[in-house]
Amino acid sequence: MRHGFEALDLTDDELAKQHVRHMVGGRSPLARDERLYRFLFPERPGALMRFLSSMPAGWNISLFHYRNQGADYGRILVGMQVPHADKASFRKFLRGLDYPCQDETDNPAYRLFLA
């Protein structure tokens, strides 16, 4: 911070490398109670439909970003608006999907550029 500029090292931040650097937009005041998760979706028919059909109707998808680099899985970033009262249901939903996922809600890159 020699000249009054703060820096944040995102060199090893997978969210920044795989998703944020490819996105435009910014913050939305409408995205209340947003939870941000990175998923690995299998690249097979029905994977997205399984995700969507198992998600309770009262939740909203506020952000969706898909990346595939020729692998047998796609890297998905999803922002979901889940009321705090549905915390237990949300955990059950994630376990039931059986797709590897990572909570990125507190990630500095998300907070800086998207939240």
Side-chain angles (χ1 to χ4, degrees):
M1 194 157 115
R2 217 167 110 197
H3 297 285
F5 295 101
E6 290 185 39
L8 177 61
D9 184 2
L10 298 174
T11 303
D12 296 321
D13 189 311
E14 288 301 309
L15 174 65
K17 291 190 300 186
Q18 294 296 326
H19 295 284
V20 173
R21 73 186 188 123
H22 301 284
M23 299 173 72
V24 297
R27 297 162 178 82
S28 172
L30 302 176
R32 291 179 194 66
D33 299 326
E34 186 176 58
R35 305 290 310 165
L36 190 74
Y37 274 77
R38 275 189 304 124
F39 289 91
L40 292 179
F41 275 35
E43 282 292 335
R44 64 175 177 254
L48 177 59
M49 184 55 72
R50 179 174 176 229
F51 176 85
L52 295 172
S53 63
S54 62
M55 190 173 132
W59 301 348
N60 183 47
I61 294 177
S62 52
L63 179 149
F64 191 89
H65 187 252
Y66 169 84
R67 299 257 310 148
N68 184 324
Q69 297 170 319
D72 58 347
Y73 58 88
R75 291 179 167 98
I76 312 295
L77 181 65
V78 181
M80 292 175 280
Q81 291 176 264
V82 180
H84 294 291
D86 290 353
K87 196 175 194 177
S89 297
F90 184 64
R91 281 194 297 263
K92 183 178 177 183
F93 162 73
L94 293 175
R95 280 192 309 271
L97 281 174
D98 201 29
Y99 294 166
C101 66
Q102 176 70 43
D103 185 353
E104 296 287 5
T105 306
D106 294 325
N107 183 299
Y110 167 63
R111 291 284 167 209
L112 190 59
F113 297 108
L114 301 173

